[in-house]
Coordinates of all heavy atoms in Angstrom, one line a residue:
M1 N 0.8 -1.2 0.0 CA 0.0 0.0 0.0 C 0.9 1.3 0.0 O 0.5 2.3 -0.5 CB -1.0 0.0 1.2 CG -1.9 1.1 1.2 SD -3.0 1.1 2.6 CE -4.1 -0.2 2.1
S2 N 2.0 1.2 0.6 CA 2.9 2.4 0.6 C 3.6 2.7 -0.7 O 4.3 3.7 -0.9 CB 3.9 2.3 1.8 OG 4.8 1.2 1.5
Q3 N 3.4 1.7 -1.7 CA 4.0 1.8 -3.0 C 3.4 3.0 -3.8 O 4.0 3.7 -4.6 CB 3.9 0.6 -3.8 CG 4.6 -0.5 -3.1 CD 6.1 -0.4 -3.1 OE1 6.7 0.1 -4.0 NE2 6.8 -1.0 -2.1
T4 N 2.1 3.3 -3.6 CA 1.4 4.3 -4.3 C 0.7 5.2 -3.3 O 0.5 4.8 -2.1 CB 0.3 3.7 -5.2 OG1 -0.6 3.0 -4.5 CG2 0.9 2.8 -6.3
A5 N 0.3 6.4 -3.7 CA -0.4 7.3 -2.9 C -1.8 6.7 -2.5 O -2.4 6.0 -3.3 CB -0.6 8.6 -3.5
L6 N -2.2 7.0 -1.3 CA -3.6 6.6 -0.8 C -4.7 7.3 -1.5 O -4.6 8.5 -1.7 CB -3.7 6.8 0.7 CG -2.7 6.0 1.6 CD1 -2.8 6.5 3.1 CD2 -2.9 4.5 1.5
S7 N -5.8 6.6 -1.7 CA -7.0 7.2 -2.2 C -7.7 7.8 -1.0 O -7.3 7.6 0.2 CB -7.9 6.2 -2.8 OG -8.4 5.3 -1.8
A8 N -8.7 8.7 -1.2 CA -9.4 9.3 -0.1 C -10.0 8.2 0.7 O -10.0 8.3 2.0 CB -10.4 10.3 -0.7
G9 N -10.6 7.2 0.1 CA -11.3 6.2 0.9 C -10.3 5.3 1.8 O -10.6 5.0 2.9
Q10 N -9.1 5.1 1.2 CA -8.1 4.3 1.9 C -7.6 5.2 3.1 O -7.4 4.6 4.2 CB -6.9 4.0 1.0 CG -7.2 2.9 -0.1 CD -6.0 2.8 -1.0 OE1 -5.5 3.8 -1.5 NE2 -5.7 1.5 -1.4
A11 N -7.4 6.4 2.9 CA -6.9 7.3 3.9 C -8.0 7.4 5.0 O -7.6 7.4 6.2 CB -6.7 8.7 3.4
E12 N -9.2 7.4 4.7 CA -10.3 7.5 5.8 C -10.3 6.2 6.6 O -10.4 6.3 7.8 CB -11.7 7.7 5.1 CG -11.8 9.2 4.7 CD -13.2 9.4 4.1 OE1 -14.2 8.8 4.6 OE2 -13.3 10.2 3.2
A13 N -10.2 5.1 5.9 CA -10.3 3.8 6.6 C -9.0 3.6 7.5 O -9.1 3.3 8.7 CB -10.3 2.6 5.6
L14 N -7.8 4.0 7.0 CA -6.6 4.0 7.8 C -6.6 4.9 9.0 O -6.2 4.6 10.0 CB -5.4 4.2 6.9 CG -5.0 3.0 6.0 CD1 -3.9 3.5 5.0 CD2 -4.5 1.8 6.8
A15 N -7.2 6.1 8.7 CA -7.2 7.1 9.8 C -8.1 6.6 11.0 O -7.7 6.8 12.1 CB -7.8 8.4 9.2
R16 N -9.2 5.9 10.7 CA -9.9 5.3 11.8 C -9.1 4.3 12.7 O -9.2 4.4 13.8 CB -11.2 4.6 11.3 CG -12.3 5.4 10.9 CD -13.6 4.7 10.6 NE -13.5 3.8 9.5 CZ -13.7 4.1 8.2 NH1 -14.0 5.4 7.9 NH2 -13.6 3.4 7.2
G17 N -8.3 3.5 11.9 CA -7.4 2.6 12.7 C -6.3 3.3 13.5 O -6.1 3.0 14.6
F18 N -5.7 4.2 12.8 CA -4.7 5.0 13.6 C -5.2 5.8 14.7 O -4.6 5.9 15.8 CB -4.0 5.9 12.6 CG -2.9 5.2 11.8 CD1 -3.0 5.3 10.3 CD2 -1.9 4.4 12.3 CE1 -2.1 4.6 9.5 CE2 -1.0 3.8 11.5 CZ -1.1 3.8 10.1
K19 N -6.4 6.4 14.6 CA -7.1 7.1 15.7 C -7.4 6.2 16.8 O -7.2 6.6 18.0 CB -8.4 7.8 15.1 CG -9.0 8.7 16.2 CD -10.3 9.3 15.6 CE -10.8 10.2 16.7 NZ -12.1 10.9 16.2
A20 N -7.8 5.0 16.5 CA -8.1 4.0 17.5 C -6.9 3.6 18.4 O -7.0 3.5 19.5 CB -8.8 2.8 16.9
V21 N -5.7 3.4 17.7 CA -4.5 3.0 18.4 C -3.7 4.2 18.9 O -2.7 4.0 19.6 CB -3.6 2.1 17.5 CG1 -4.4 0.8 17.2 CG2 -3.2 2.8 16.3
A22 N -4.2 5.4 18.7 CA -3.5 6.6 19.2 C -3.6 6.8 20.7 O -2.9 7.5 21.3 CB -4.0 7.9 18.4
D23 N -4.6 6.1 21.3 CA -4.7 6.2 22.7 C -3.9 5.1 23.3 O -4.0 3.9 22.9 CB -6.3 5.9 23.0 CG -6.5 6.0 24.5 OD1 -6.4 4.9 25.2 OD2 -6.9 7.1 25.0
P24 N -3.1 5.5 24.4 CA -2.3 4.4 25.0 C -3.0 3.2 25.6 O -2.5 2.1 25.5 CB -1.6 5.2 26.1 CG -1.8 6.6 25.8 CD -3.0 6.8 25.0
V25 N -4.2 3.4 26.1 CA -4.9 2.3 26.7 C -5.3 1.3 25.5 O -5.1 0.1 25.6 CB -6.2 2.8 27.5 CG1 -7.1 1.6 27.9 CG2 -5.7 3.5 28.7
R26 N -5.8 1.9 24.5 CA -6.2 1.0 23.3 C -5.1 0.4 22.7 O -5.2 -0.8 22.3 CB -7.0 1.9 22.3 CG -8.4 2.2 22.9 CD -9.3 2.8 21.8 NE -9.0 4.1 21.3 CZ -9.4 5.2 21.8 NH1 -10.2 5.2 22.8 NH2 -9.1 6.4 21.2
L27 N -4.0 1.0 22.6 CA -2.8 0.5 22.0 C -2.3 -0.7 22.9 O -1.9 -1.8 22.4 CB -1.7 1.5 21.9 CG -0.3 1.0 21.2 CD1 -0.6 0.5 19.8 CD2 0.6 2.2 21.2
R28 N -2.3 -0.5 24.2 CA -1.9 -1.6 25.1 C -2.9 -2.8 25.0 O -2.6 -4.0 25.0 CB -1.9 -1.0 26.5 CG -1.2 -2.0 27.4 CD -0.7 -1.3 28.7 NE -0.6 -2.2 29.7 CZ -1.0 -2.1 31.0 NH1 -1.6 -1.0 31.3 NH2 -0.8 -3.1 31.8
L29 N -4.2 -2.5 25.0 CA -5.3 -3.6 24.8 C -5.0 -4.4 23.6 O -5.0 -5.6 23.6 CB -6.7 -2.9 24.9 CG -7.1 -2.6 26.2 CD1 -8.5 -1.8 26.1 CD2 -7.4 -3.7 27.1
L30 N -4.8 -3.7 22.5 CA -4.5 -4.4 21.2 C -3.3 -5.2 21.3 O -3.3 -6.4 20.8 CB -4.4 -3.4 20.1 CG -4.2 -3.9 18.6 CD1 -5.4 -4.8 18.3 CD2 -4.1 -2.8 17.7
S31 N -2.3 -4.7 21.9 CA -1.0 -5.5 22.1 C -1.3 -6.7 22.9 O -0.8 -7.8 22.6 CB 0.1 -4.6 22.8 OG 1.2 -5.3 23.0
L32 N -2.0 -6.6 24.0 CA -2.4 -7.7 24.9 C -3.1 -8.8 24.1 O -2.8 -10.0 24.3 CB -3.1 -7.2 26.1 CG -2.4 -6.5 27.1 CD1 -3.3 -5.9 28.2 CD2 -1.4 -7.4 27.9
I33 N -4.1 -8.4 23.3 CA -4.9 -9.3 22.6 C -4.0 -10.0 21.5 O -4.0 -11.2 21.4 CB -6.1 -8.6 21.9 CG1 -7.1 -8.1 23.0 CG2 -6.8 -9.5 20.9 CD1 -8.1 -7.1 22.5
A34 N -3.3 -9.2 20.8 CA -2.5 -9.8 19.7 C -1.4 -10.7 20.1 O -1.0 -11.7 19.5 CB -1.9 -8.7 18.9
S35 N -0.9 -10.5 21.4 CA 0.2 -11.3 21.9 C -0.2 -12.5 22.8 O 0.6 -13.2 23.2 CB 1.2 -10.4 22.6 OG 0.7 -9.9 23.8
H36 N -1.5 -12.6 23.0 CA -2.0 -13.6 23.9 C -1.7 -15.0 23.3 O -1.8 -15.2 22.1 CB -3.4 -13.5 24.1 CG -3.9 -14.0 25.4 ND1 -4.4 -15.3 25.5 CD2 -4.0 -13.5 26.7 CE1 -4.7 -15.6 26.8 NE2 -4.5 -14.5 27.5
A37 N -1.3 -15.9 24.1 CA -0.9 -17.3 23.7 C -1.8 -17.9 22.8 O -1.4 -18.6 21.8 CB -0.6 -18.1 24.9
E38 N -3.1 -17.9 23.0 CA -4.1 -18.7 22.2 C -4.6 -17.8 21.0 O -5.4 -18.2 20.3 CB -5.3 -19.1 23.0 CG -4.9 -20.3 24.0 CD -4.3 -19.8 25.2 OE1 -4.7 -18.7 25.7 OE2 -3.4 -20.4 25.8
G39 N -4.0 -16.6 20.8 CA -4.5 -15.8 19.7 C -5.8 -15.1 20.1 O -6.2 -14.3 19.2
E40 N -6.3 -15.2 21.2 CA -7.4 -14.5 21.6 C -7.4 -14.3 23.2 O -6.7 -15.1 23.9 CB -8.7 -15.3 21.3 CG -8.9 -16.6 22.1 CD -10.2 -17.3 21.7 OE1 -10.9 -16.9 20.7 OE2 -10.4 -18.3 22.4
A41 N -8.0 -13.3 23.7 CA -8.0 -13.0 25.1 C -9.4 -12.7 25.5 O -10.2 -12.0 24.9 CB -7.1 -11.8 25.3
C42 N -9.7 -13.3 26.7 CA -11.0 -13.0 27.4 C -11.0 -11.6 28.0 O -9.9 -11.1 28.5 CB -11.2 -14.1 28.5 SG -12.7 -13.8 29.5
V43 N -12.1 -11.0 28.0 CA -12.2 -9.6 28.6 C -11.7 -9.7 30.0 O -11.1 -8.8 30.5 CB -13.5 -9.0 28.4 CG1 -14.6 -9.7 29.3 CG2 -13.5 -7.5 28.7
C44 N -11.9 -10.8 30.7 CA -11.6 -11.0 32.1 C -10.1 -11.0 32.3 O -9.5 -10.6 33.3 CB -12.1 -12.3 32.7 SG -11.6 -13.8 31.8
D45 N -9.3 -11.3 31.2 CA -7.8 -11.2 31.2 C -7.3 -9.8 31.0 O -6.2 -9.5 31.3 CB -7.2 -12.2 30.2 CG -7.6 -13.6 30.5 OD1 -7.6 -14.1 31.7 OD2 -7.7 -14.4 29.5
L46 N -8.1 -9.1 30.3 CA -7.7 -7.7 29.8 C -7.9 -6.6 30.9 O -7.2 -5.6 30.8 CB -8.5 -7.3 28.5 CG -8.2 -8.2 27.4 CD1 -9.2 -7.8 26.2 CD2 -6.8 -8.2 26.9
T47 N -8.7 -6.9 31.8 CA -8.9 -5.8 32.8 C -7.8 -5.7 33.9 O -7.6 -4.7 34.6 CB -10.3 -6.0 33.6 OG1 -10.3 -7.4 34.1 CG2 -11.4 -5.9 32.6
E48 N -7.1 -6.8 34.0 CA -5.9 -6.8 35.0 C -4.9 -5.9 34.5 O -4.6 -5.8 33.3 CB -5.4 -8.2 35.1 CG -6.3 -9.2 35.7 CD -5.8 -10.7 35.6 OE1 -4.6 -10.9 35.4 OE2 -6.6 -11.6 35.8
G49 N -4.2 -5.2 35.4 CA -3.1 -4.4 35.1 C -3.5 -2.9 34.6 O -2.7 -2.1 34.3
F50 N -4.9 -2.7 34.7 CA -5.3 -1.3 34.3 C -6.0 -0.8 35.5 O -6.7 -1.4 36.2 CB -6.3 -1.3 33.1 CG -5.8 -1.6 31.8 CD1 -5.7 -2.9 31.3 CD2 -5.2 -0.6 31.0 CE1 -5.2 -3.2 30.1 CE2 -4.6 -0.9 29.8 CZ -4.6 -2.1 29.3
E51 N -5.8 0.5 35.8 CA -6.5 1.2 36.9 C -7.8 1.9 36.3 O -8.0 3.0 36.5 CB -5.6 2.1 37.6 CG -4.4 1.4 38.3 CD -3.6 2.4 39.0 OE1 -3.9 3.6 39.3 OE2 -2.5 1.9 39.5
L52 N -8.5 1.1 35.5 CA -9.7 1.6 34.9 C -10.9 0.8 35.3 O -10.8 -0.4 35.6 CB -9.6 1.6 33.4 CG -8.4 2.4 32.8 CD1 -8.2 2.2 31.4 CD2 -8.7 3.9 33.0
T53 N -12.1 1.3 35.2 CA -13.3 0.5 35.5 C -13.6 -0.4 34.3 O -13.2 -0.2 33.2 CB -14.5 1.4 35.7 OG1 -14.8 2.1 34.5 CG2 -14.3 2.4 36.9
G54 N -14.4 -1.4 34.6 CA -14.9 -2.3 33.5 C -15.5 -1.6 32.3 O -15.3 -1.9 31.2
P55 N -16.5 -0.7 32.6 CA -17.1 0.1 31.5 C -16.1 0.8 30.7 O -16.3 1.0 29.5 CB -18.1 1.0 32.3 CG -18.5 0.3 33.5 CD -17.2 -0.4 33.9
T56 N -15.1 1.4 31.3 CA -14.1 2.2 30.5 C -13.3 1.2 29.7 O -13.1 1.6 28.4 CB -13.1 2.9 31.5 OG1 -13.9 3.8 32.3 CG2 -12.1 3.7 30.7
I57 N -12.9 0.0 30.2 CA -12.2 -0.9 29.3 C -13.1 -1.3 28.2 O -12.7 -1.4 27.0 CB -11.8 -2.2 30.1 CG1 -10.8 -1.9 31.2 CG2 -11.3 -3.3 29.3 CD1 -9.4 -1.5 30.7
S58 N -14.4 -1.6 28.4 CA -15.4 -2.0 27.4 C -15.5 -0.9 26.3 O -15.6 -1.2 25.1 CB -16.8 -2.2 28.0 OG -16.7 -3.4 28.8
H59 N -15.5 0.4 26.8 CA -15.5 1.5 25.8 C -14.3 1.4 24.8 O -14.4 1.5 23.6 CB -15.6 2.8 26.4 CG -15.2 4.0 25.6 ND1 -16.1 4.5 24.6 CD2 -14.1 4.7 25.4 CE1 -15.7 5.4 23.9 NE2 -14.4 5.6 24.4
H60 N -13.1 1.2 25.4 CA -11.9 1.1 24.6 C -11.9 0.0 23.7 O -11.6 0.1 22.5 CB -10.6 1.1 25.5 CG -10.4 2.4 26.1 ND1 -10.0 3.6 25.4 CD2 -10.3 2.8 27.4 CE1 -9.8 4.6 26.2 NE2 -9.9 4.1 27.5
L61 N -12.4 -1.2 24.1 CA -12.6 -2.3 23.3 C -13.6 -2.1 22.1 O -13.4 -2.5 21.0 CB -13.0 -3.5 24.1 CG -11.9 -4.1 25.0 CD1 -12.5 -5.1 26.0 CD2 -10.7 -4.7 24.2
K62 N -14.6 -1.3 22.4 CA -15.7 -1.0 21.5 C -15.0 -0.1 20.3 O -15.2 -0.4 19.2 CB -16.8 -0.3 22.1 CG -17.9 0.2 21.1 CD -19.0 0.9 21.8 CE -19.9 1.6 20.8 NZ -20.9 2.5 21.4
V63 N -14.2 0.8 20.7 CA -13.6 1.7 19.7 C -12.6 0.8 18.8 O -12.7 1.0 17.6 CB -12.8 2.8 20.4 CG1 -11.9 3.5 19.4 CG2 -13.7 3.8 21.1
L64 N -11.9 -0.1 19.4 CA -11.0 -1.0 18.6 C -11.9 -1.9 17.7 O -11.5 -2.1 16.5 CB -10.1 -1.9 19.5 CG -9.1 -1.1 20.3 CD1 -8.4 -2.0 21.3 CD2 -8.0 -0.6 19.3
R65 N -13.0 -2.4 18.2 CA -13.9 -3.2 17.3 C -14.5 -2.5 16.2 O -14.5 -2.8 15.0 CB -15.0 -3.8 18.3 CG -15.4 -5.2 18.0 CD -16.4 -5.7 19.0 NE -17.5 -4.8 19.4 CZ -17.5 -4.4 20.6 NH1 -16.7 -4.7 21.6 NH2 -18.5 -3.6 21.0
E66 N -15.0 -1.2 16.4 CA -15.6 -0.4 15.4 C -14.5 0.1 14.3 O -14.9 0.3 13.2 CB -16.2 0.9 16.0 CG -17.5 0.5 16.8 CD -18.1 1.7 17.5 OE1 -17.4 2.7 17.7 OE2 -19.2 1.6 18.0
A67 N -13.2 0.1 14.8 CA -12.2 0.5 13.8 C -11.8 -0.8 13.0 O -10.9 -0.7 12.1 CB -10.9 1.0 14.5
G68 N -12.4 -1.9 13.4 CA -12.0 -3.2 12.6 C -10.8 -3.8 13.0 O -10.2 -4.7 12.3
L69 N -10.1 -3.4 14.1 CA -8.9 -4.0 14.5 C -9.0 -5.2 15.3 O -8.0 -6.1 15.5 CB -8.1 -2.9 15.3 CG -7.7 -1.7 14.5 CD1 -7.1 -0.6 15.4 CD2 -6.8 -2.0 13.4
I70 N -10.2 -5.4 16.0 CA -10.4 -6.7 16.8 C -11.8 -7.2 16.5 O -12.7 -6.4 16.0 CB -10.3 -6.5 18.3 CG1 -11.2 -5.4 18.8 CG2 -8.8 -6.1 18.6 CD1 -11.3 -5.3 20.3
T71 N -12.0 -8.4 16.8 CA -13.4 -9.0 16.7 C -13.7 -9.6 18.2 O -12.7 -9.9 18.9 CB -13.5 -10.1 15.7 OG1 -12.6 -11.1 16.0 CG2 -13.3 -9.6 14.3
G72 N -15.0 -9.7 18.4 CA -15.3 -10.3 19.7 C -16.3 -11.3 19.6 O -17.2 -11.3 18.7
E73 N -16.2 -12.4 20.4 CA -17.2 -13.5 20.4 C -17.6 -13.7 21.8 O -16.8 -14.0 22.7 CB -16.5 -14.7 19.8 CG -17.4 -15.9 19.8 CD -16.7 -17.2 19.3 OE1 -15.7 -17.0 18.6 OE2 -17.1 -18.3 19.7
R74 N -18.9 -13.7 22.1 CA -19.4 -14.0 23.4 C -19.5 -15.5 23.6 O -20.0 -16.2 22.8 CB -20.9 -13.4 23.6 CG -21.4 -13.7 25.0 CD -22.7 -13.0 25.2 NE -22.6 -11.5 25.3 CZ -22.0 -10.9 26.3 NH1 -21.6 -11.5 27.4 NH2 -22.0 -9.5 26.4
R75 N -19.0 -16.0 24.8 CA -19.1 -17.3 25.2 C -19.5 -17.3 26.6 O -18.7 -17.0 27.5 CB -17.7 -18.0 25.1 CG -17.2 -18.1 23.6 CD -15.9 -18.9 23.6 NE -15.2 -18.6 22.4 CZ -13.8 -18.6 22.3 NH1 -13.1 -19.0 23.2 NH2 -13.3 -18.3 21.1
G76 N -20.8 -17.6 26.9 CA -21.3 -17.5 28.2 C -21.3 -16.1 28.6 O -22.0 -15.2 27.9
T77 N -20.7 -15.8 29.8 CA -20.8 -14.5 30.3 C -19.6 -13.6 29.8 O -19.5 -12.4 30.1 CB -20.9 -14.5 31.8 OG1 -19.7 -15.2 32.3 CG2 -22.1 -15.1 32.3
W78 N -18.6 -14.2 29.2 CA -17.5 -13.5 28.8 C -17.4 -13.3 27.3 O -17.9 -14.0 26.5 CB -16.2 -14.3 29.2 CG -16.1 -14.5 30.7 CD1 -16.2 -15.6 31.3 CD2 -15.8 -13.5 31.6 NE1 -16.0 -15.5 32.7 CE2 -15.9 -14.1 32.9 CE3 -15.6 -12.1 31.6 CZ2 -15.7 -13.4 34.1 CZ3 -15.4 -11.4 32.8 CH2 -15.4 -12.1 34.0
I79 N -16.6 -12.3 26.9 CA -16.4 -12.0 25.5 C -14.9 -12.2 25.3 O -14.0 -11.8 26.0 CB -16.8 -10.5 25.1 CG1 -18.2 -10.3 25.3 CG2 -16.4 -10.3 23.6 CD1 -18.7 -8.9 25.0
Y80 N -14.6 -13.0 24.2 CA -13.2 -13.2 23.8 C -12.9 -12.5 22.6 O -13.6 -12.4 21.6 CB -13.0 -14.7 23.5 CG -13.1 -15.6 24.8 CD1 -14.3 -15.9 25.4 CD2 -11.9 -16.0 25.4 CE1 -14.4 -16.6 26.5 CE2 -12.0 -16.8 26.5 CZ -13.2 -17.1 27.1 OH -13.2 -17.8 28.2
Y81 N -11.7 -11.7 22.6 CA -11.3 -10.9 21.5 C -10.1 -11.4 20.7 O -9.3 -12.1 21.4 CB -10.9 -9.5 22.1 CG -12.2 -8.7 22.6 CD1 -12.4 -8.8 24.0 CD2 -13.0 -8.1 21.8 CE1 -13.6 -8.2 24.5 CE2 -14.1 -7.4 22.3 CZ -14.4 -7.4 23.6 OH -15.5 -6.8 24.1
R82 N -10.2 -11.2 19.5 CA -9.0 -11.5 18.6 C -8.7 -10.3 17.8 O -9.5 -9.5 17.3 CB -9.5 -12.6 17.6 CG -9.7 -14.0 18.2 CD -9.9 -15.0 17.0 NE -9.7 -16.3 17.5 CZ -8.6 -17.0 17.5 NH1 -7.5 -16.4 17.1 NH2 -8.5 -18.1 18.0
A83 N -7.3 -10.2 17.5 CA -6.9 -9.2 16.6 C -7.2 -9.6 15.1 O -7.3 -10.7 14.9 CB -5.4 -9.0 16.8
V84 N -7.4 -8.6 14.3 CA -7.7 -8.9 12.9 C -6.4 -8.6 12.1 O -6.0 -7.4 12.0 CB -8.8 -7.9 12.4 CG1 -9.0 -8.1 10.9 CG2 -10.1 -8.1 13.2
P85 N -5.7 -9.7 11.8 CA -4.3 -9.5 11.2 C -4.3 -8.6 9.9 O -3.4 -7.9 9.8 CB -3.9 -11.0 10.9 CG -4.7 -11.9 11.8 CD -6.0 -11.1 12.0
A86 N -5.3 -8.7 9.1 CA -5.3 -7.9 7.8 C -5.4 -6.5 8.1 O -4.7 -5.7 7.5 CB -6.4 -8.4 7.0
A87 N -6.2 -6.1 9.2 CA -6.3 -4.6 9.5 C -5.0 -4.2 10.1 O -4.5 -3.1 9.8 CB -7.5 -4.5 10.5
M88 N -4.4 -5.0 10.9 CA -3.0 -4.5 11.5 C -1.9 -4.5 10.4 O -1.1 -3.6 10.4 CB -2.6 -5.6 12.6 CG -3.6 -5.4 13.8 SD -3.3 -6.6 15.2 CE -1.8 -6.0 15.7
A89 N -2.0 -5.3 9.5 CA -1.1 -5.4 8.3 C -1.2 -4.1 7.5 O -0.3 -3.5 7.0 CB -1.2 -6.6 7.5
Q90 N -2.5 -3.7 7.3 CA -2.7 -2.5 6.6 C -2.2 -1.3 7.2 O -1.6 -0.4 6.6 CB -4.3 -2.3 6.3 CG -4.8 -3.2 5.3 CD -6.3 -3.1 5.2 OE1 -7.0 -2.7 6.1 NE2 -6.8 -3.3 4.0
L91 N -2.3 -1.2 8.5 CA -1.7 0.0 9.3 C -0.2 -0.1 9.2 O 0.4 1.0 8.9 CB -2.1 0.0 10.8 CG -3.6 0.2 11.0 CD1 -3.9 0.1 12.5 CD2 -4.1 1.5 10.5
S92 N 0.3 -1.2 9.3 CA 1.8 -1.4 9.2 C 2.3 -1.0 7.8 O 3.3 -0.3 7.7 CB 2.2 -2.8 9.5 OG 3.5 -3.0 9.4
A93 N 1.6 -1.5 6.8 CA 2.1 -1.2 5.4 C 2.0 0.3 5.1 O 2.8 0.8 4.3 CB 1.2 -2.0 4.4
A94 N 1.0 1.0 5.6 CA 0.9 2.4 5.4 C 2.1 3.2 5.9 O 2.4 4.3 5.4 CB -0.4 3.0 5.9
L95 N 2.7 2.7 6.9 CA 3.9 3.3 7.5 C 5.3 2.9 6.9 O 6.3 3.5 7.1 CB 3.9 3.0 9.0 CG 2.8 3.5 9.8 CD1 2.9 3.1 11.3 CD2 2.7 5.1 9.7
A96 N 5.2 1.8 6.1 CA 6.5 1.3 5.5 C 6.9 2.2 4.4 O 6.1 2.6 3.6 CB 6.3 -0.1 5.0
P97 N 8.2 2.6 4.3 CA 8.7 3.4 3.2 C 8.6 2.6 1.9 O 8.7 1.4 1.9 CB 10.1 3.6 3.6 CG 10.5 2.6 4.6 CD 9.2 2.1 5.2
A98 N 8.4 3.3 0.9 CA 8.4 2.8 -0.5 C 9.8 2.2 -0.8 O 10.8 2.9 -0.4 CB 8.0 3.8 -1.5
E99 N 9.9 1.1 -1.5 CA 11.2 0.5 -1.9 C 11.7 1.4 -3.1 O 11.0 1.8 -4.0 CB 11.0 -0.9 -2.3 CG 10.5 -1.8 -1.1 CD 10.3 -3.3 -1.5 OE1 10.8 -3.6 -2.6 OE2 9.7 -4.0 -0.7
S100 N 13.0 1.5 -3.1 CA 13.6 2.3 -4.1 C 14.0 1.4 -5.3 O 14.3 0.3 -5.2 CB 14.9 3.0 -3.7 OG 15.0 3.2 -2.4

């Protein structure tokens, strides 16, 4: 994607993702989800280590979900989150310099 200039639509889609990860809490949550051993993390695992309320964590997860960076699946009373590799690859590719 960094080989050619972005279209307006591509720029808008990427901006949503970059805006979502521009917050330190959301960036950390995404990192925790993406690096979790099973490739997914239960919301119960994500609340540890943050001095935030459950609803605040849920809000940040919602922003990441709406940006297309994570998906969530309810299992019983818990929601399990997975990173969306293609979305993360698009953000990464947008920052890569063009090859000479």
Side-chain angles (χ1 to χ4, degrees):
M1 184 177 289
S2 62
Q3 300 290 330
T4 60
L6 297 172
S7 69
Q10 289 171 318
E12 285 182 35
L14 285 169
R16 280 191 295 276
F18 283 122
K19 184 176 179 182
V21 296
D23 181 274
V25 171
R26 290 193 289 268
L27 184 58
R28 192 163 159 225
L29 284 168
L30 182 59
S31 174
L32 287 168
I33 294 166
S35 65
H36 205 270
E38 290 82 36
E40 66 181 9
C42 174
V43 71
C44 59
D45 297 326
L46 299 173
T47 55
E48 299 172 11
F50 289 96
E51 294 182 14
L52 300 170
T53 64
T56 301
I57 295 289
S58 292
H59 165 75
H60 286 297
L61 291 167
K62 178 183 174 190
V63 171
L64 290 170
R65 218 175 39 249
E66 288 176 346
L69 297 173
I70 61 172
T71 60
E73 178 185 338
R74 180 174 292 282
R75 296 183 200 153
T77 58
W78 299 111
I79 299 176
Y80 289 80
Y81 292 97
R82 288 186 164 275
V84 178
M88 294 176 64
Q90 287 177 331
L91 293 180
S92 177
L95 296 175
E99 296 179 15
S100 342

